[in-house]
């Protein structure tokens, strides 16, 4: 990899220092108000400083026009421009609802160039702040230095890493075949990773401050325009591992109409390597379907019982992470505080953009797939799992993780 240019380094330094300081100062001004959701007529000098200082860095990079420093550099610069544009959106210096193109022409051009060159959407993605957020002497990129923001991005990143680890463990069972007795170590590894994800969700639920998260962290994840087009916000689901788990465990199918749309929509918000992994795992039969095919003839075989125990242990833990996400995290940190907002501030509180009730319905569907809930309108694996559970001779055979 070639060394980073001076302009790249200077922008990165700004993104890690002055940028979060100014955002945080603004957050504190907003937060002191009776109406914490208001951003109008407050901190105008700080807003202008963020806009103008960032613009200076971006024009230098845009003139340099060099994205040939390798994927890592292009990815990092794309993230830095994206953080800047997301902050402009957060402080209402731009709003896609009142514009038909971004007022930030150079930032848009740079993002479009970088995004197209690496095969990602031209905006900051979850990976920039979570599982690909490179620390420099311990300092991760963030919008502010607020403790609740670090809690959120760190626990999100840990959660993603655990789910990736679980997906990776299951993926390695595919070439072995689910009936192979050595799959046991992989089921155990996946169960252990999911136990960690469960503990992380519980920690986040207990420690994150609802008001700080809702009013000072979440608003940076709104959709914004790059050039003419509006791009939805980043969310912690923009990595392949979660869908690899869905598909490998067989809890939904890539051909399900709702789920297929979700996969297509998120493709460009993921790293290219994640895009490739996701495509790959759409081509395999799920472990659940493998076992179902073997059930009639082999249910009593020790290898069948071991595989069934292993698979159910992973499925049960994965269902628990989905329950936590829905019933704890989304409910406490989004749905609850949203209910107290007046109508003027309701627009754009979700990262993906749709109204809250539509978003909650979409998340409920994912929850129902992952918990194999009985539903008459969509195909979940409720009946198949009930059939398999009835075949398990010794339920204590499930891995303990
Ligand atoms: C998506 C809320 C933490 C995994 C979403 C969405 C919301 C949300 C509202 C829908 C996307 C949108 O906003 O438009 C929250 C809140 C969290 C939190 C309030 C904590 C305060 C996490 C963590 C993980 C996670 C720790 C685990 C890595 C996901 C996934 C999706 C998602 C996978 C994509 C939809 C799906 O496939 O389920 N989250 N989330 N979230 N989140 Fe979270």
């Amino acid at each position: 990899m070639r060394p980073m240019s001076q302009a790249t380094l200077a922008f990165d330094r700004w993104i890690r220092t002055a940028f979060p300081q100014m955002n945080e100062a603004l957050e504190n001004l907003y937060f002191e108000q009776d109406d914490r959701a208001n951003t109008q007529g407050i901190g105008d000098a700080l807003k202008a400083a963020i806009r103008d200082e960032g613009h200076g860095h971006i024009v230098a990079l845009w003139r340099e026009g060099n994205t040939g420093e390798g994927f890592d550099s292009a990815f990092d610069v794309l993230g830095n421009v994206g953080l800047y544009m997301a902050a402009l959106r957060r402080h209402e210096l731009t709003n896609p609802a009142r514009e038909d193109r971004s007022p930030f022409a150079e930032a848009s051009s740079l993002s479009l160039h970088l995004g197209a060159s690496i095969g990602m959407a031209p905006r900051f993605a979850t990976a920039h702040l979570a599982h690909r957020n490179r620390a420099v002497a311990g300092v991760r990129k963030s919008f502010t230095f607020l403790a609740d923001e670090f809690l959120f991005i760190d626990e999100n990143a840990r959660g993603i890493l655990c789910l990736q680890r679980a997906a990776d463990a299951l993926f390695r069972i595919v070439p072995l075949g689910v009936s192979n007795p050595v799959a046991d170590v992989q089921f155990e590894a996946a169960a252990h990773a999911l136990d960690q994800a469960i503990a992380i969700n519980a920690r986040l639920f207990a420690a994150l401050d609802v008001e700080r998260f809702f009013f000072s962290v979440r608003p940076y994840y709104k959709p914004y325009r790059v050039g003419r087009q509006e791009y939805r916000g980043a969310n912690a689901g923009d990595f392949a591992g979660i869908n690899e788990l869905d598909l490998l465990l067989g809890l939904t199918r890539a051909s399900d109409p709702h789920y297929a749309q979700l996969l297509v929509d998120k493709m460009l918000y993921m790293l290219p390597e994640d895009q490739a992994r996701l495509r790959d795992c759409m081509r395999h039969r799920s472990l659940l379907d493998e076992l179902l095919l073997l059930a009639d003839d082999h249910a009593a075989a020790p290898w069948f019982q071991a595989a069934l125990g292993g698979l159910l242990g992973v499925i049960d833990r994965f269902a628990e992470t989905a329950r936590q996400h829905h019933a704890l995290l989304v409910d406490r940190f989004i749905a609850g505080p949203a209910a107290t907002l007046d109508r003027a501030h309701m627009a754009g509180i979700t990262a993906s953009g749709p109204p809250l009730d539509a978003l909650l319905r979409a998340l409920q569907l994912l929850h129902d797939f992952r918990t194999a809930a009985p539903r008459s309108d969509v195909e979940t694996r409720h009946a198949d799992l009930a059939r398999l559970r009835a075949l398990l001779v010794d339920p204590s055979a499930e891995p303990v993780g």
Side-chain angles (χ1 to χ4, degrees):
M1 186 175 136
R2 304 227 304 268
M4 286 188 194
S5 73
Q6 282 309 314
T8 305
L9 285 171
F11 188 37
D12 193 68
R13 238 185 333 267
W14 183 78
I15 281 289
R16 290 171 192 269
T17 52
F19 173 74
Q21 271 157 14
M22 289 188 280
N23 282 326
E24 183 170 334
L26 278 167
E27 291 311 328
N28 289 335
L29 292 175
Y30 302 149
F31 203 71
E32 280 163 9
Q33 303 173 106
D34 289 337
D35 177 6
R36 289 177 163 164
N38 177 56
T39 57
Q40 297 303 314
I42 181 163
D44 289 341
L46 279 165
K47 290 176 189 166
I50 294 175
R51 182 192 59 211
D52 299 342
E53 288 179 26
H55 181 72
H57 287 288
I58 280 167
V59 169
L61 279 161
W62 176 65
R63 285 198 202 293
E64 195 178 70
N66 176 10
T67 59
E69 294 165 345
F71 175 86
D72 287 345
S73 173
F75 172 79
D76 269 353
V77 178
L78 175 64
N80 289 349
V81 186
L83 296 184
Y84 167 72
M85 292 181 88
L88 298 175
R89 167 71 189 99
R90 189 278 175 271
H91 302 306
E92 290 289 335
L93 296 169
T94 172
N95 183 330
R98 57 169 194 246
E99 295 148 357
D100 59 11
R101 63 170 56 230
S102 166
F104 305 107
E106 292 85 355
S108 291
S109 304
L110 187 59
S111 299
L112 287 162
H113 183 180
L114 290 164
S117 74
I118 61 173
M120 290 183 72
R123 54 153 294 135
F124 98 82
T126 297
H128 289 113
L129 282 187
H131 49 297
R132 278 292 185 97
N133 186 349
R134 204 160 70 81
V136 176
V139 180
R140 287 82 81 218
K141 286 184 208 173
S142 57
F143 286 104
T144 68
F145 293 131
L146 291 170
D148 284 289
E149 185 182 347
F150 280 116
L151 182 65
F152 177 67
I153 60 180
D154 289 346
E155 297 291 41
N156 255 205
R158 288 191 184 100
I160 290 172
L161 291 169
C162 290
L163 294 173
Q164 286 178 325
R165 205 145 35 85
D168 201 45
L170 293 184
F171 204 48
R172 289 172 197 277
I173 298 178
V174 173
L176 293 167
V178 75
S179 67
N180 193 320
V182 306
D184 58 357
V185 287
Q186 296 306 100
F187 282 126
E188 277 166 28
H192 180 63
L194 291 172
D195 281 340
Q196 282 190 314
I198 290 168
I200 289 162
N201 282 344
R203 242 167 30 210
L204 192 54
F205 175 72
L208 190 65
D209 183 271
V210 177
E211 299 259 303
R212 261 307 187 183
F213 172 74
F214 190 75
F215 289 108
S216 308
V217 178
R218 184 80 183 157
Y220 290 92
Y221 292 76
K222 291 177 180 180
Y224 61 83
R225 264 182 222 283
V226 181
R228 277 191 305 276
Q229 201 174 322
E230 183 175 334
Y231 290 88
R232 72 150 171 85
N235 72 57
D238 293 338
F239 65 105
I242 184 87
N243 308 101
E244 291 171 35
L245 285 166
D246 289 336
L247 295 170
L248 289 168
L249 293 173
L251 296 168
T252 183
R253 297 177 204 277
S255 57
D256 175 277
H258 306 277
Y259 196 76
Q261 185 68 54
L262 178 148
L263 294 182
V264 170
D265 289 348
K266 76 186 270 184
M267 212 39 117
L268 289 180
Y269 291 78
M270 297 189 299
L271 292 161
E273 69 212 37
D274 270 35
Q275 298 176 21
R277 281 185 66 130
L278 189 51
R279 285 193 196 99
D280 193 31
C281 93
M282 284 184 211
R283 293 192 281 260
H284 300 292
R285 182 181 285 139
S286 73
L287 302 175
L288 180 62
D289 286 335
E290 292 272 338
L291 265 191
L292 280 167
L293 283 174
L294 295 163
D296 280 344
D297 296 333
H298 303 284
W303 59 260
F304 184 93
Q305 288 294 317
L308 180 55
L311 184 68
L312 290 177
V314 175
I315 284 177
D316 289 348
R317 286 167 171 87
F318 187 52
E320 180 56 20
T321 64
R323 264 181 229 111
Q324 286 178 310
H325 187 261
H326 205 63
L328 301 185
L329 300 178
V330 174
D331 188 60
R332 178 173 168 89
F333 297 106
I334 307 268
T340 67
L341 272 192
D342 66 46
R343 289 184 73 80
H345 295 314
M346 274 301 279
I349 60 160
T350 62
S352 51
L356 185 62
D357 52 346
L359 174 85
L360 293 178
R361 272 198 306 279
L363 288 174
Q364 179 73 50
L365 179 62
L366 290 168
H367 165 277
D368 291 350
F369 281 138
R370 292 174 184 147
T371 56
R375 274 183 72 146
S376 53
D377 54 337
V378 286
E379 196 185 331
T380 71
R381 305 310 297 270
H382 180 73
D384 290 324
L385 275 174
R387 180 179 164 220
L388 283 179
R389 276 187 212 286
L391 297 176
L392 190 65
V393 175
D394 175 11
S396 67
E398 291 189 13
V400 288

